[in-house]
Coordinates of all heavy atoms in Angstrom, one line a residue:
M1 N 129.1 -104.6 155.8 CA 130.0 -103.6 155.1 C 131.1 -103.2 156.0 O 131.0 -103.0 157.2 CB 129.1 -102.4 154.7 CG 128.2 -102.7 153.6 SD 127.5 -101.2 152.7 CE 125.7 -101.3 152.9
S2 N 132.1 -102.8 155.4 CA 133.3 -102.3 156.1 C 133.1 -100.9 156.5 O 132.4 -100.1 155.9 CB 134.6 -102.5 155.2 OG 134.5 -101.6 154.3
D3 N 133.9 -100.4 157.4 CA 133.7 -99.1 158.0 C 135.1 -98.5 157.8 O 135.9 -98.1 158.8 CB 133.3 -99.0 159.4 CG 132.5 -97.9 159.7 OD1 131.9 -97.2 158.8 OD2 132.3 -97.5 160.9
R4 N 135.5 -98.3 156.4 CA 136.8 -97.8 156.1 C 136.6 -96.4 155.7 O 136.2 -96.1 154.6 CB 137.3 -98.6 155.0 CG 138.8 -98.7 154.8 CD 139.2 -99.9 154.0 NE 138.5 -99.9 152.8 CZ 138.9 -99.2 151.7 NH1 139.9 -98.4 151.8 NH2 138.2 -99.3 150.6
T5 N 136.9 -95.4 156.6 CA 136.7 -94.1 156.2 C 138.1 -93.4 155.6 O 139.1 -94.1 155.5 CB 136.2 -93.3 157.5 OG1 135.9 -91.9 157.2 CG2 137.1 -93.4 158.7
C6 N 137.9 -92.1 155.2 CA 139.0 -91.4 154.6 C 139.0 -90.0 155.0 O 138.0 -89.6 155.5 CB 138.9 -91.6 153.0 SG 137.7 -90.8 152.3
A7 N 140.0 -89.2 154.5 CA 140.0 -87.8 154.9 C 138.8 -87.0 154.3 O 138.4 -86.0 155.0 CB 141.4 -87.2 154.4
H8 N 138.3 -87.4 153.2 CA 137.2 -86.7 152.6 C 135.9 -86.9 153.5 O 135.2 -85.9 153.8 CB 136.9 -87.3 151.2 CG 138.0 -87.2 150.2 ND1 138.6 -88.4 149.8 CD2 138.5 -86.2 149.6 CE1 139.6 -87.9 149.0 NE2 139.5 -86.6 148.8
I9 N 135.8 -88.1 153.8 CA 134.5 -88.4 154.7 C 134.7 -87.7 156.1 O 133.7 -87.1 156.6 CB 134.4 -90.0 154.9 CG1 133.8 -90.5 153.6 CG2 133.4 -90.3 156.1 CD1 133.6 -92.0 153.5
E10 N 136.0 -87.7 156.6 CA 136.2 -87.2 157.8 C 136.1 -85.6 157.9 O 135.7 -85.0 158.9 CB 137.6 -87.4 158.4 CG 137.6 -88.9 159.1 CD 139.0 -89.4 159.3 OE1 139.9 -88.6 159.2 OE2 139.0 -90.6 159.5
S11 N 136.2 -85.1 156.7 CA 136.0 -83.6 156.6 C 134.5 -83.2 156.6 O 134.2 -82.0 156.5 CB 136.7 -83.1 155.4 OG 136.1 -83.3 154.2
V12 N 133.6 -84.1 156.3 CA 132.1 -83.9 156.3 C 131.7 -83.7 157.7 O 131.7 -84.6 158.4 CB 131.4 -85.0 155.5 CG1 130.0 -84.7 155.7 CG2 131.8 -85.1 154.2
T13 N 131.3 -82.5 158.2 CA 131.0 -82.4 159.6 C 129.4 -82.2 159.7 O 128.8 -82.7 160.6 CB 131.6 -81.1 160.1 OG1 131.3 -80.0 159.1 CG2 133.0 -81.2 160.2
T14 N 128.8 -81.6 158.7 CA 127.3 -81.5 158.7 C 126.9 -82.2 157.4 O 127.2 -82.0 156.2 CB 126.8 -80.1 158.6 OG1 127.4 -79.3 159.6 CG2 125.3 -80.0 158.8
I15 N 126.1 -83.3 157.6 CA 125.5 -84.0 156.5 C 124.5 -83.3 155.6 O 123.5 -82.7 156.2 CB 124.9 -85.4 156.9 CG1 125.7 -86.2 157.9 CG2 124.5 -86.2 155.7 CD1 126.9 -86.7 157.4
K16 N 124.7 -83.0 154.3 CA 123.8 -82.4 153.5 C 122.7 -83.4 153.2 O 122.8 -84.4 152.7 CB 124.5 -82.0 152.2 CG 125.4 -80.7 152.4 CD 125.8 -80.3 151.0 CE 126.6 -79.0 151.0 NZ 127.8 -79.0 151.8
Q17 N 121.4 -82.8 153.6 CA 120.3 -83.7 153.3 C 119.6 -83.4 151.9 O 119.8 -82.2 151.5 CB 119.2 -83.5 154.4 CG 119.7 -83.8 155.9 CD 120.1 -85.3 155.9 OE1 119.4 -86.2 155.3 NE2 121.0 -85.7 156.9
P18 N 119.0 -84.3 151.3 CA 118.4 -84.0 150.1 C 117.4 -82.9 150.0 O 116.5 -82.8 151.0 CB 117.8 -85.3 149.6 CG 117.5 -86.1 150.9 CD 118.7 -85.7 151.7
Q19 N 117.5 -82.0 149.0 CA 116.4 -81.0 149.0 C 115.0 -81.5 148.5 O 114.0 -81.0 148.9 CB 116.8 -79.8 147.9 CG 118.2 -79.3 148.1 CD 118.2 -78.2 149.2 OE1 117.4 -77.3 149.1 NE2 119.0 -78.3 150.3
Q20 N 115.2 -82.4 147.5 CA 114.0 -83.1 147.0 C 114.3 -84.6 146.8 O 115.4 -84.9 146.6 CB 113.5 -82.6 145.6 CG 113.2 -81.2 145.4 CD 114.0 -80.5 144.6 OE1 115.2 -80.7 144.5 NE2 113.4 -79.6 143.8
L21 N 113.4 -85.5 146.9 CA 113.7 -86.8 146.8 C 113.4 -87.2 145.3 O 112.5 -88.1 144.9 CB 112.8 -87.7 147.8 CG 113.3 -87.7 149.1 CD1 112.3 -88.5 150.0 CD2 114.6 -88.2 149.4
E22 N 114.3 -86.8 144.5 CA 114.3 -87.1 143.1 C 115.6 -86.7 142.4 O 116.4 -86.0 143.0 CB 113.2 -86.3 142.3 CG 113.3 -84.8 142.4 CD 112.1 -84.0 141.9 OE1 111.1 -84.6 141.9 OE2 112.3 -83.0 141.4
C23 N 116.0 -87.5 141.4 CA 117.3 -87.2 140.7 C 117.2 -86.1 139.8 O 116.4 -86.1 138.9 CB 117.7 -88.5 139.9 SG 119.1 -88.1 138.9
A24 N 117.9 -84.9 140.1 CA 117.8 -83.8 139.2 C 117.9 -83.9 137.8 O 117.5 -83.2 137.0 CB 118.9 -82.7 139.8
E25 N 118.8 -84.8 137.5 CA 119.2 -85.1 136.0 C 118.1 -86.0 135.3 O 117.7 -85.8 134.2 CB 120.5 -85.7 135.9 CG 121.7 -84.8 136.2 CD 121.7 -83.5 135.4 OE1 121.5 -83.6 134.2 OE2 121.9 -82.4 135.9
C26 N 117.7 -87.1 136.1 CA 116.6 -87.9 135.5 C 115.4 -87.1 135.3 O 114.7 -87.5 134.2 CB 116.4 -89.1 136.5 SG 117.6 -90.3 136.4
V27 N 115.0 -86.3 136.2 CA 113.8 -85.4 136.0 C 113.8 -84.6 134.6 O 112.8 -84.7 133.9 CB 113.7 -84.5 137.2 CG1 112.6 -83.4 136.9 CG2 113.2 -85.2 138.4
K28 N 115.0 -84.1 134.4 CA 115.2 -83.3 133.2 C 114.9 -84.3 131.9 O 114.4 -83.7 130.9 CB 116.6 -82.7 133.0 CG 116.9 -81.5 133.9 CD 118.2 -81.0 133.7 CE 118.8 -80.3 134.9 NZ 120.3 -80.2 134.8
I29 N 115.4 -85.4 131.9 CA 115.3 -86.3 130.7 C 114.2 -87.3 130.7 O 114.1 -88.2 129.9 CB 116.7 -87.0 130.4 CG1 117.1 -87.8 131.6 CG2 117.7 -85.9 130.1 CD1 118.3 -88.7 131.3
G30 N 113.5 -87.2 131.8 CA 112.2 -88.3 132.0 C 112.7 -89.6 132.2 O 112.0 -90.6 131.9
S31 N 113.8 -89.8 132.8 CA 114.4 -91.2 133.1 C 113.9 -91.5 134.5 O 113.2 -90.8 135.3 CB 115.9 -91.3 133.0 OG 116.3 -92.7 133.1
N32 N 114.2 -92.8 134.9 CA 113.8 -93.4 136.2 C 115.2 -93.6 137.0 O 116.2 -93.8 136.4 CB 113.0 -94.7 136.1 CG 111.7 -94.4 135.4 OD1 111.0 -93.6 135.8 ND2 111.5 -95.2 134.3
W33 N 115.0 -93.8 138.3 CA 116.0 -94.1 139.2 C 115.7 -95.2 140.2 O 114.6 -95.4 140.3 CB 116.5 -92.8 139.9 CG 115.5 -92.2 140.7 CD1 115.2 -92.5 142.1 CD2 114.7 -91.1 140.3 NE1 114.2 -91.7 142.4 CE2 113.8 -90.9 141.5 CE3 114.5 -90.3 139.1 CZ2 112.9 -89.9 141.4 CZ3 113.5 -89.4 139.1 CH2 112.6 -89.2 140.2
V34 N 116.7 -95.8 140.8 CA 116.4 -96.9 141.8 C 116.6 -96.2 143.3 O 115.7 -96.1 144.0 CB 117.4 -98.0 141.6 CG1 117.3 -99.0 142.7 CG2 117.2 -98.6 140.2
H35 N 117.9 -95.8 143.5 CA 118.1 -95.1 144.8 C 118.6 -93.7 144.6 O 119.2 -93.4 143.5 CB 119.0 -96.0 145.7 CG 118.4 -97.2 146.1 ND1 119.2 -98.4 146.0 CD2 117.2 -97.5 146.6 CE1 118.4 -99.4 146.4 NE2 117.2 -98.9 146.7
L36 N 118.6 -92.9 145.6 CA 119.1 -91.5 145.4 C 120.3 -91.3 146.5 O 120.4 -91.9 147.5 CB 117.9 -90.4 145.8 CG 116.9 -90.5 144.8 CD1 115.7 -89.7 145.3 CD2 117.2 -90.0 143.4
R37 N 121.3 -90.4 146.0 CA 122.4 -90.0 146.8 C 122.6 -88.6 146.7 O 122.2 -88.0 145.6 CB 123.8 -90.7 146.0 CG 123.6 -92.1 145.7 CD 123.5 -92.9 147.0 NE 123.3 -94.4 146.8 CZ 122.4 -95.2 147.3 NH1 121.5 -94.6 148.1 NH2 122.5 -96.4 147.1
T38 N 123.0 -88.0 147.9 CA 123.2 -86.5 147.8 C 124.7 -86.2 147.9 O 125.3 -86.5 148.8 CB 122.6 -85.9 149.0 OG1 121.1 -86.3 148.8 CG2 122.7 -84.4 149.1
C39 N 125.2 -85.3 146.9 CA 126.6 -84.9 146.9 C 126.8 -84.0 148.1 O 126.1 -83.1 148.5 CB 126.8 -84.1 145.6 SG 128.5 -83.4 145.6
Q40 N 127.9 -84.3 148.9 CA 128.3 -83.6 150.1 C 129.0 -82.4 149.8 O 129.5 -81.6 150.8 CB 128.9 -84.5 151.1 CG 128.0 -85.7 151.6 CD 126.7 -85.1 152.3 OE1 126.8 -84.4 153.3 NE2 125.6 -85.4 151.6
T41 N 129.5 -82.3 148.6 CA 130.2 -80.9 148.2 C 129.1 -79.9 147.9 O 129.3 -78.7 148.3 CB 131.2 -81.2 147.1 OG1 132.0 -82.2 147.5 CG2 132.0 -80.0 146.8
C42 N 128.2 -80.1 146.9 CA 127.3 -79.1 146.3 C 125.8 -79.3 146.6 O 125.1 -78.5 146.5 CB 127.6 -79.0 144.8 SG 126.9 -80.4 144.0
G43 N 125.6 -80.5 147.3 CA 124.2 -80.7 147.8 C 123.2 -81.2 146.8 O 122.0 -81.4 147.0
V44 N 123.7 -81.5 145.5 CA 122.8 -81.9 144.5 C 122.3 -83.5 144.8 O 123.2 -84.2 145.3 CB 123.4 -81.8 143.1 CG1 124.5 -82.7 142.8 CG2 122.3 -82.1 141.9
T45 N 121.2 -83.8 144.5 CA 120.7 -85.1 144.8 C 120.7 -85.9 143.4 O 119.9 -85.4 142.4 CB 119.4 -85.2 145.6 OG1 119.6 -84.7 146.8 CG2 118.8 -86.7 145.7
L46 N 121.2 -87.1 143.3 CA 121.3 -87.8 142.0 C 121.1 -89.2 142.1 O 121.2 -89.7 143.4 CB 122.6 -87.5 141.3 CG 122.9 -86.0 140.9 CD1 124.4 -85.8 140.5 CD2 122.0 -85.6 139.7
C47 N 121.1 -90.0 141.1 CA 120.7 -91.5 141.2 C 122.0 -92.3 141.3 O 123.0 -92.0 140.9 CB 119.9 -91.9 140.1 SG 120.5 -91.6 138.4
C48 N 121.8 -93.5 142.0 CA 122.8 -94.4 142.3 C 123.3 -95.2 141.2 O 122.7 -95.2 140.0 CB 122.4 -95.3 143.4 SG 121.1 -96.5 142.8
D49 N 124.3 -96.2 141.4 CA 124.8 -97.0 140.4 C 123.9 -98.1 139.9 O 124.1 -98.8 139.0 CB 126.1 -97.5 140.8 CG 127.2 -96.5 140.5 OD1 127.0 -95.4 140.0 OD2 128.4 -96.8 140.9
S50 N 122.8 -98.3 140.8 CA 121.9 -99.4 140.3 C 120.8 -98.8 139.3 O 120.1 -99.5 138.7 CB 121.1 -100.0 141.5 OG 122.1 -100.6 142.3
S51 N 120.8 -97.5 139.2 CA 120.0 -96.8 138.3 C 120.5 -96.7 136.8 O 121.7 -96.8 136.7 CB 119.7 -95.3 138.7 OG 119.4 -95.3 140.1
P52 N 119.7 -96.7 135.8 CA 120.1 -96.8 134.4 C 121.2 -95.7 134.1 O 122.2 -96.0 133.4 CB 118.9 -96.7 133.5 CG 117.7 -96.7 134.5 CD 118.2 -96.6 136.0
R53 N 121.0 -94.5 134.6 CA 122.0 -93.4 134.2 C 123.1 -93.2 135.1 O 123.9 -92.4 134.8 CB 121.1 -92.1 134.0 CG 119.8 -92.2 133.1 CD 120.2 -92.3 131.6 NE 119.1 -92.6 130.9 CZ 119.1 -92.4 129.6 NH1 120.1 -91.9 128.9 NH2 118.0 -92.6 128.9
R54 N 123.0 -93.6 136.3 CA 124.2 -93.6 137.2 C 124.7 -92.1 137.4 O 125.9 -91.7 137.2 CB 125.3 -94.4 136.8 CG 124.9 -95.8 136.6 CD 126.0 -96.7 136.4 NE 125.6 -98.1 136.2 CZ 126.4 -99.1 136.1 NH1 127.7 -98.9 136.1 NH2 125.9 -100.3 136.0
H55 N 123.7 -91.2 137.6 CA 124.1 -89.8 137.6 C 125.0 -89.4 138.7 O 125.8 -88.5 138.6 CB 122.8 -88.9 137.5 CG 122.1 -88.9 136.3 ND1 120.8 -89.1 136.1 CD2 122.6 -88.4 135.1 CE1 120.4 -89.0 134.8 NE2 121.6 -88.7 134.2
A56 N 124.9 -90.0 139.9 CA 125.8 -89.6 141.1 C 127.2 -89.9 140.8 O 128.1 -89.1 141.0 CB 125.3 -90.3 142.3
S57 N 127.4 -91.1 140.2 CA 129.0 -91.4 140.0 C 129.5 -90.5 138.7 O 130.6 -90.2 138.8 CB 129.2 -92.9 139.7 OG 128.4 -93.4 138.7
A58 N 128.6 -90.3 137.7 CA 128.9 -89.4 136.7 C 129.3 -88.0 137.3 O 130.3 -87.4 136.8 CB 127.9 -89.3 135.6
H59 N 128.5 -87.5 138.2 CA 128.7 -86.2 138.7 C 130.1 -86.3 139.5 O 130.8 -85.3 139.4 CB 127.6 -86.0 139.9 CG 127.7 -84.7 140.5 ND1 127.4 -83.4 140.0 CD2 128.2 -84.5 141.8 CE1 127.7 -82.4 140.9 NE2 128.1 -83.1 142.1
A60 N 130.3 -87.3 140.3 CA 131.6 -87.5 141.0 C 132.8 -87.3 140.2 O 133.9 -86.7 140.4 CB 131.7 -88.7 141.9
R61 N 132.7 -88.1 139.0 CA 133.8 -88.1 138.0 C 134.1 -86.8 137.4 O 135.1 -86.4 137.3 CB 133.5 -89.1 136.9 CG 134.0 -90.5 137.2 CD 134.1 -91.3 135.8 NE 132.9 -91.3 135.1 CZ 131.8 -92.0 135.2 NH1 131.8 -92.8 136.3 NH2 130.8 -91.7 134.5
T62 N 132.9 -86.1 137.0 CA 133.1 -84.8 136.2 C 133.4 -83.7 137.0 O 134.2 -82.7 136.7 CB 131.8 -84.6 135.2 OG1 130.8 -84.5 136.2 CG2 131.7 -85.6 134.3
T63 N 133.0 -83.7 138.3 CA 133.2 -82.5 139.2 C 134.3 -82.7 140.2 O 134.8 -81.8 140.8 CB 131.9 -82.2 140.0 OG1 131.6 -83.3 140.8 CG2 130.8 -81.8 139.0
T64 N 134.7 -83.9 140.3 CA 135.6 -84.4 141.4 C 135.1 -84.1 142.7 O 135.9 -83.9 143.7 CB 137.0 -83.9 141.3 OG1 137.2 -82.5 141.5 CG2 137.7 -84.3 139.9
H65 N 133.8 -84.1 143.0 CA 133.2 -84.0 144.2 C 133.2 -85.3 144.8 O 132.5 -86.3 144.4 CB 131.8 -83.5 144.2 CG 131.6 -82.0 143.8 ND1 130.4 -81.4 143.5 CD2 132.5 -81.2 143.7 CE1 130.6 -80.1 143.1 NE2 131.9 -79.9 143.2
P66 N 134.0 -85.7 145.9 CA 134.3 -87.1 146.3 C 133.1 -87.8 147.0 O 132.9 -89.1 146.8 CB 135.5 -87.0 147.1 CG 135.5 -85.7 147.7 CD 134.7 -84.8 146.8
V67 N 132.4 -87.2 147.9 CA 131.6 -87.9 148.9 C 130.1 -87.6 148.6 O 129.7 -86.4 148.4 CB 131.9 -87.3 150.4 CG1 131.1 -88.1 151.4 CG2 133.4 -87.6 150.6
I68 N 129.4 -88.7 148.7 CA 127.9 -88.7 148.7 C 127.4 -89.3 149.8 O 128.0 -90.1 150.6 CB 127.3 -89.5 147.3 CG1 127.9 -90.8 147.3 CG2 127.5 -88.6 146.2 CD1 127.1 -91.9 147.6
A69 N 126.1 -88.9 150.3 CA 125.4 -89.6 151.3 C 124.2 -90.2 150.7 O 123.7 -89.8 149.7 CB 124.9 -88.5 152.3
S70 N 123.8 -91.3 151.3 CA 122.5 -91.8 150.9 C 121.4 -91.0 151.2 O 121.3 -90.3 152.2 CB 122.2 -93.2 151.6 OG 120.8 -93.7 151.2
A71 N 120.5 -90.8 150.1 CA 119.3 -90.0 150.2 C 118.0 -90.8 150.6 O 116.9 -90.3 150.6 CB 119.0 -89.1 149.1
Q72 N 118.3 -92.1 150.8 CA 117.1 -92.9 151.1 C 116.7 -92.9 152.5 O 117.5 -92.8 153.4 CB 117.6 -94.5 150.9 CG 117.8 -94.8 149.4 CD 116.7 -94.4 148.4 OE1 116.9 -93.6 147.7 NE2 115.6 -95.1 148.7
P73 N 115.5 -92.6 152.8 CA 114.9 -92.6 154.1 C 115.4 -93.7 155.0 O 115.3 -94.9 154.5 CB 113.4 -92.5 153.9 CG 113.2 -92.1 152.5 CD 114.3 -92.6 151.7
G74 N 115.9 -93.5 156.2 CA 116.4 -94.6 157.1 C 117.7 -94.9 156.9 O 118.3 -95.7 157.6
E75 N 118.5 -94.6 155.7 CA 119.8 -94.9 155.5 C 120.6 -93.8 155.9 O 120.4 -92.6 155.5 CB 120.1 -95.2 154.0 CG 119.3 -96.6 153.6 CD 119.8 -96.9 152.2 OE1 120.6 -96.3 151.7 OE2 119.2 -97.9 151.8
Q76 N 121.8 -94.1 156.7 CA 122.6 -93.0 157.2 C 124.0 -93.4 157.0 O 124.8 -94.0 157.8 CB 122.4 -92.8 158.6 CG 121.0 -92.3 159.0 CD 120.8 -91.8 160.4 OE1 121.2 -92.3 161.3 NE2 120.3 -90.5 160.6
W77 N 124.5 -93.3 155.7 CA 125.9 -93.5 155.4 C 126.5 -92.6 154.4 O 125.7 -91.9 153.6 CB 126.1 -95.1 154.9 CG 125.1 -95.5 154.0 CD1 124.0 -96.2 154.0 CD2 125.3 -95.3 152.5 NE1 123.4 -96.4 152.9 CE2 124.2 -96.0 151.9 CE3 126.2 -94.8 151.7 CZ2 124.1 -96.0 150.4 CZ3 126.1 -94.8 150.3 CH2 125.0 -95.5 149.7
L78 N 127.8 -92.5 154.4 CA 128.5 -91.7 153.4 C 129.5 -92.6 152.6 O 129.9 -93.6 153.1 CB 129.4 -90.7 154.3 CG 128.7 -89.7 155.0 CD1 129.8 -89.0 156.0 CD2 128.0 -88.7 154.2
Y79 N 129.6 -92.2 151.4 CA 130.6 -93.0 150.5 C 131.5 -92.1 149.8 O 131.0 -91.0 149.3 CB 129.8 -93.9 149.5 CG 130.7 -94.6 148.5 CD1 131.3 -95.7 149.0 CD2 130.8 -94.2 147.2 CE1 132.1 -96.4 148.2 CE2 131.6 -95.0 146.4 CZ 132.2 -96.1 146.8 OH 133.1 -96.8 145.9
C80 N 132.8 -92.4 149.7 CA 133.8 -91.7 148.9 C 134.2 -92.4 147.7 O 134.6 -93.6 147.8 CB 135.0 -91.3 149.8 SG 136.3 -90.5 148.9
Y81 N 133.9 -91.8 146.5 CA 134.2 -92.5 145.3 C 135.7 -92.7 145.0 O 136.2 -93.9 144.9 CB 133.7 -91.6 144.1 CG 132.1 -91.8 144.0 CD1 131.3 -90.9 144.3 CD2 131.7 -93.0 143.3 CE1 130.0 -91.1 144.2 CE2 130.3 -93.2 143.1 CZ 129.4 -92.2 143.6 OH 128.1 -92.4 143.4
P82 N 136.6 -91.7 145.2 CA 138.0 -91.9 144.9 C 138.6 -92.9 145.9 O 139.5 -93.7 145.5 CB 138.7 -90.5 145.0 CG 137.6 -89.7 145.6 CD 136.3 -90.1 145.4
D83 N 138.2 -93.0 147.0 CA 138.9 -93.9 148.1 C 138.1 -95.2 148.2 O 138.4 -96.0 148.9 CB 139.0 -93.2 149.3 CG 140.0 -92.1 149.3 OD1 141.1 -92.3 148.9 OD2 139.7 -90.9 149.6
D84 N 136.9 -95.3 147.7 CA 136.0 -96.4 147.7 C 135.8 -96.7 149.3 O 135.9 -97.8 149.8 CB 136.6 -97.7 147.0 CG 135.6 -98.8 147.0 OD1 134.5 -98.6 147.1 OD2 136.0 -100.0 147.0
A85 N 135.5 -95.6 150.0 CA 135.4 -95.7 151.5 C 134.0 -95.4 151.8 O 133.2 -94.9 151.2 CB 136.4 -94.7 152.1
F86 N 133.7 -96.0 153.0 CA 132.3 -96.2 153.4 C 132.2 -95.8 154.9 O 133.0 -96.3 155.6 CB 131.6 -97.5 153.1 CG 130.3 -97.7 153.6 CD1 129.2 -97.4 152.9 CD2 130.1 -98.3 154.9 CE1 127.9 -97.6 153.4 CE2 128.9 -98.5 155.5 CZ 127.7 -98.1 154.7
A87 N 131.3 -95.1 155.4 CA 131.2 -94.8 156.8 C 129.6 -94.6 157.1 O 128.9 -93.9 156.4 CB 131.9 -93.6 157.2
E88 N 129.1 -95.1 158.2 CA 127.8 -94.9 158.7 C 127.9 -93.8 159.7 O 129.0 -93.6 160.3 CB 127.2 -96.2 159.4 CG 126.9 -97.2 158.3 CD 126.3 -98.5 159.0 OE1 127.2 -99.3 159.5 OE2 125.1 -98.7 159.0
Y89 N 126.9 -93.1 159.8 CA 126.9 -92.0 160.9 C 125.5 -92.1 161.6 O 124.7 -92.8 161.3 CB 127.0 -90.6 160.1 CG 125.9 -90.3 159.2 CD1 124.8 -89.6 159.7 CD2 125.9 -90.6 157.9 CE1 123.6 -89.3 159.0 CE2 124.8 -90.2 157.1 CZ 123.7 -89.6 157.4 OH 122.6 -89.3 156.7
Ligands
ZN1 ZN1 138.0 -90.0 150.2
ZN2 ZN1 119.6 -89.9 137.5
ZN3 ZN1 128.6 -82.1 143.7

């Protein structure tokens, strides 16, 4: 993977960790998810684009919160939706 960062990612100084290892929106509707991502603006944990509902990217679009972190145990990376930028930490 490339390590192409952006101003949004650089402005993240403390990584927000997931409060719970579940998608807040999938839980409400009884859906399933594949992987989890945590929004670095508001801290909500939602599901990835491999999940049927893609709640994390929907959240990024509707709120314009740009950066998510992987909430998967052992994964340490950030992704910015508007810039399609990725960085490990
Ligand atoms: Zn960015
Ligand atoms: Zn979800
Ligand atoms: Zn958010």
Side-chain angles (χ1 to χ4, degrees):
M1 282 199 242
S2 69
D3 214 16
R4 203 161 54 80
T5 179
C6 70
H8 303 112
I9 286 176
E10 278 164 16
S11 73
V12 176
T13 50
T14 309
I15 310 291
K16 286 186 171 61
Q17 299 296 332
Q19 307 276 310
Q20 297 118 322
L21 287 177
E22 57 187 28
C23 172
E25 294 298 321
C26 283
V27 165
K28 283 186 208 161
I29 60 173
S31 186
N32 296 308
W33 58 86
V34 178
H35 293 133
L36 295 169
R37 310 293 181 235
T38 300
C39 176
Q40 295 300 298
T41 305
C42 66
V44 69
T45 296
L46 297 166
C47 57
C48 72
D49 280 359
S50 302
S51 307
R53 307 284 173 164
R54 304 181 180 193
H55 284 124
S57 56
H59 176 79
R61 268 200 312 279
T62 56
T63 60
T64 70
H65 293 168
V67 179
I68 49 108
S70 176
Q72 295 303 118
E75 291 189 5
Q76 296 193 313
W77 50 261
L78 298 166
Y79 178 76
C80 175
Y81 283 100
D83 293 308
D84 189 28
F86 174 87
E88 291 181 278
Y89 63 86

